[in-house]
Amino acid sequence: MNTHTTTNDNAPHKEKPPTGLIPIPTTTARALATGGGALTIISAFLAWTWTAAFPGDLTVYGYPGGLQWLVLITGALTTLLGLASYDIKGIRAITPGNADAALKYAALAAFGTAWYTILAISTHLGGLANLEPGGWITAIATLTALTGALALPYPRPRTYPVDPEDTSWEQFKHRTRNGMTVLKGAFAAETPPTPRKLNSYLEILIIITALATGLLVFTYGIGTEYDELFIGFLISVGLGFAALAKAGIVAQISVYTARHRNITLIGAFLAAAAFPFTQSDDQYATIGVYILIFATVALGLNIVVGLAGLLDLGYVAFLGVGAYAASMVSGSPSSPFDIHLPFWAAILVGAAASLIFGVLIGAPTLRLRGDYLAIVTLGFGEIFRLVAMNSDGASGPDITNGSNGISSIPNLKILGFDFGIEHSIAGFTIGRFANYFFLMLLITLVVVLVFRRSGDSRIGRAWVAIREDETAALAMGINGFRVKLIAFALGAALAGLAGTVQAHVTYTVTPEQYQFANTVPPNSAFLLAAVVLGGMGTISGPLVGAALLYLIPNKLAFLGDYQLFAFGLALALLMRFRPEGLIPNRRRQLEFHEAELAPGETPPPAVLSKTGA
């Protein structure tokens, strides 16, 4: 059944076009949205309050400060997308997707950030009377822009955007030769036309610009100086990214990254390596190194959960095994073994210990499936913690020093380079945590390469077959037990690699660090959430998910007892509206959105080929 047709602007419309939420003529609505965005830009240069007591000093005319910068950026995005909705030549070319849909999210980003700021000012200073005229103008401007955007006609999208980890052929082989195919039903109207192939150097320049922008956004977010600014940052970035996605810009960049995978990978790690040079001290480099540890372990778990489909609820135990094994042979005075191995030997010991435990635990348990396997792995995680807690010489053998753990772990030294002291590189002072950041970045690169190569290999295809239908895979001759054991052991070894660095970063390894769930990641619950949130089976998904899951709770610590409530609510909303994850592959999107297909409708050929249909 052919499910796509070629567009024809002169063809008669048989269906009545959908109307907006507010009954305003389309021309008027676009004018309101665009004009409101322009007025929002102007209002950011006005004073919003009379006193500098509110963080960010919003009392200055002619120069934005604090949250005003975020409103200025979202207002500029609203104006740009408003002009694009008029099909202005040049501007429309950079928004190949649905400009009206993108305009809604951009206007909502400006509205949400501005009105949150106004409410924060009123709460902090004691009432709306503390607003200057600039604050009122901002409120009116953003409300006007949002009203106009909501009045624009737009059908509810039901689509499957570009999979950034597909090849360019897989992304576009369901289109017509001229790149102007429009899909029906659940695939309609949202997929942008095939981007015109640019000069390779220009495409690489666009990739570099996107990576530099990502580094700038991450650096700004991690360095927010006060709570109100971070919440405004979340509102602006979340809705602003949604606007760029609806505009087709994200999908267009994904096409270029797919054409230049190796350059994108190298560029991404160079951008990450530049992060410590943007910091004046170790305050935020500390968060950076813990994010990398968390992300690396999540990527290892993604092999077990995302590729092989094995629900492991005790995965953090392998991180602990690697950390304990490395700390015992690194010269710690509280270690029961008088051994001080060099780092290369200690990291091999940690990875090997985790791999052995993975085999020992997996061999008797991987014949189970589903919930039964999840319960057994959860039990293993708790058993490891309790054994480490009781191996103190009183309740059991003197191996782990009980609840006191292995302490005073010395700093790493590689080829005379001491990771525990400051170093000067090209005029920049690099502190202790920045040193470990670079080391952990190299280990993350190794894990990414292992994941990528194994996922594309024969064993990787066997993992996917087991995940999709184990019974069918066994019937086709795949040795299910051996394939699952390899995934379990490989994932455990990768967690052990990260554990060796974690032991030296934290100086101390204790059993409390490796629980199923606590308020401080990494733990099994947060690791699993990072994989599901980011997108199972992808490389970039768990990395992004882990970064968000570590950074956001760290910055929301001011909420106190409500921190986990707010965090859990955000996760529930995300799983409700985007259950496939932030960066999913096409197969998982189809699994979650099959119900949106019209009766008798089939997905495009590219989607079918990804699912094996």
Side-chain angles (χ1 to χ4, degrees):
M1 176 180 178
N2 186 11
T3 61
H4 52 279
T5 57
T6 304
T7 57
N8 184 359
D9 295 336
N10 297 323
H13 296 284
K14 297 182 180 180
E15 297 181 3
K16 182 180 179 181
T19 58
L21 297 177
I22 301 175
I24 297 177
T26 301
T27 303
T28 305
R30 286 199 173 94
L32 288 175
T34 308
L39 185 58
T40 300
I41 297 174
I42 297 173
S43 67
F45 292 90
L46 304 176
W48 289 9
T49 183
W50 62 274
T51 173
F54 185 80
D57 191 6
L58 309 184
T59 64
V60 181
Y61 281 88
Y63 186 82
L67 285 158
Q68 288 176 324
W69 279 109
L70 299 176
V71 175
L72 172 62
I73 294 172
T74 53
L77 182 61
T78 302
T79 305
L80 178 64
L81 293 174
L83 294 175
S85 67
Y86 282 102
D87 287 335
I88 297 178
K89 186 177 181 181
I91 298 179
R92 188 68 182 92
I94 64 175
T95 57
N98 192 304
D100 289 348
L103 181 58
K104 294 178 189 293
Y105 281 97
L108 185 59
F111 175 83
T113 308
W115 281 66
Y116 164 74
T117 304
I118 292 170
L119 292 176
I121 291 173
S122 302
T123 303
H124 188 84
L125 300 180
L128 293 173
N130 294 282
L131 290 177
E132 286 286 291
W136 293 105
I137 294 175
T138 301
I140 296 173
T142 54
L143 180 60
T144 301
L146 181 62
T147 301
L150 293 178
L152 292 174
Y154 174 64
R156 181 175 178 83
R158 298 182 300 168
T159 61
Y160 302 86
V162 173
D163 185 349
E165 297 189 17
D166 282 348
T167 64
S168 57
W169 171 247
E170 289 174 326
Q171 291 167 3
F172 298 110
K173 64 184 178 180
H174 63 284
R175 300 174 186 269
T176 57
R177 182 171 300 177
N178 61 3
M180 294 298 293
T181 297
V182 175
L183 307 174
K184 291 182 178 179
F187 304 91
E190 195 67 11
T191 305
T194 304
R196 181 170 56 89
K197 185 175 178 60
L198 304 176
N199 181 277
S200 295
Y201 292 105
L202 182 57
E203 292 183 353
I204 292 173
L205 180 61
I206 293 174
I207 293 173
I208 293 173
T209 303
L211 293 174
T213 303
L215 174 63
L216 178 64
V217 171
F218 177 78
T219 302
Y220 184 88
I222 202 173
T224 48
E225 300 175 352
Y226 48 93
D227 304 331
E228 293 85 355
L229 183 59
F230 181 72
I231 294 179
F233 168 79
L234 289 181
I235 297 172
S236 301
V237 171
L239 295 173
F241 182 82
L244 295 178
K246 293 296 181 183
I249 297 175
V250 175
Q252 196 165 23
I253 294 175
S254 297
V255 173
Y256 300 146
T257 58
R259 292 174 183 164
H260 308 279
R261 284 193 175 191
N262 293 330
I263 292 177
T264 301
L265 180 62
I266 295 172
F269 279 90
L270 288 178
F275 168 71
F277 294 101
T278 65
Q279 307 300 310
S280 57
D281 53 42
D282 263 359
Q283 179 182 2
Y284 299 118
T286 306
I287 300 177
V289 69
Y290 283 117
I291 286 177
L292 283 180
I293 293 174
F294 190 17
T296 302
V297 181
L299 195 57
L301 178 61
N302 197 27
I303 293 179
V304 180
V305 177
L307 294 182
L310 306 174
L311 184 55
D312 188 349
L313 299 182
Y315 186 76
V316 75
F318 297 123
L319 176 69
V321 170
Y324 266 104
S327 63
M328 290 178 183
V329 298
S330 295
S332 171
S334 58
S335 170
F337 309 108
D338 188 16
I339 302 176
H340 191 176
L341 298 178
F343 172 69
W344 65 266
I347 197 171
L348 290 178
V349 169
S354 295
L355 187 147
I356 293 172
F357 269 82
V359 173
L360 293 177
I361 298 303
T365 61
L366 287 178
R367 300 188 188 277
L368 300 173
R369 298 186 188 182
D371 298 339
Y372 301 101
L373 177 62
I375 293 172
V376 170
T377 55
L378 176 61
F380 162 66
E382 289 301 299
I383 289 172
F384 165 77
R385 183 178 64 84
L386 293 175
V387 169
M389 182 79 70
N390 290 283
S391 298
D392 56 358
S395 303
D398 187 9
I399 300 178
T400 63
N401 205 24
S403 59
N404 294 323
I406 307 296
S407 59
S408 302
I409 301 172
N411 286 307
L412 287 177
K413 290 184 179 180
I414 301 177
L415 300 177
F417 186 89
D418 191 340
F419 283 74
I421 62 176
E422 292 184 349
H423 298 274
S424 180
I425 301 178
F428 293 91
T429 300
I430 305 299
R432 176 178 183 270
F433 285 100
N435 295 330
Y436 282 108
F437 180 90
F438 289 125
L439 176 62
M440 199 62 227
L441 188 61
L442 290 176
I443 294 177
T444 304
L445 177 60
V446 171
V447 174
V448 167
L449 293 176
V450 170
F451 183 95
R452 181 177 173 181
R453 298 297 297 175
S454 60
D456 293 337
S457 67
R458 180 179 180 181
I459 191 68
R461 293 192 295 270
W463 286 337
V464 174
I466 290 290
R467 183 192 70 192
E468 295 300 320
D469 192 329
E470 184 171 353
T471 302
L474 295 176
M476 295 300 294
I478 295 177
N479 189 329
F481 173 74
R482 185 184 67 179
V483 167
K484 290 191 291 184
L485 187 60
I486 292 174
F488 213 71
L490 180 59
L494 297 181
L497 286 177
T500 59
V501 179
Q502 185 203 29
H504 291 85
V505 170
T506 58
Y507 285 127
T508 302
V509 180
T510 59
E512 290 78 9
Q513 296 174 339
Y514 309 105
Q515 300 180 26
F516 170 73
N518 53 36
T519 57
V520 180
N523 54 65
S524 291
F526 270 71
L527 288 171
L528 184 60
V531 174
V532 177
L533 170 69
M536 292 194 292
T538 64
I539 294 176
S540 51
L543 298 179
V544 173
L548 293 177
L549 286 179
Y550 191 92
L551 177 62
I552 293 177
N554 187 281
K555 300 294 268 186
L556 292 181
F558 67 94
L559 293 177
D561 295 337
Y562 295 97
Q563 175 187 357
L564 287 180
F565 171 77
F567 188 65
L569 180 62
L571 285 180
L573 292 175
L574 181 64
M575 289 298 99
R576 167 61 182 84
F577 294 103
R578 195 171 178 83
E580 66 270 24
L582 293 175
I583 309 178
N585 58 35
R586 203 190 313 274
R587 180 186 293 109
R588 290 197 58 80
Q589 281 194 301
L590 180 60
E591 292 173 357
F592 282 103
H593 295 281
E594 275 186 312
E596 296 179 0
L597 293 172
E601 183 183 6
T602 58
V607 181
L608 288 174
S609 64
K610 291 292 287 183
T611 60

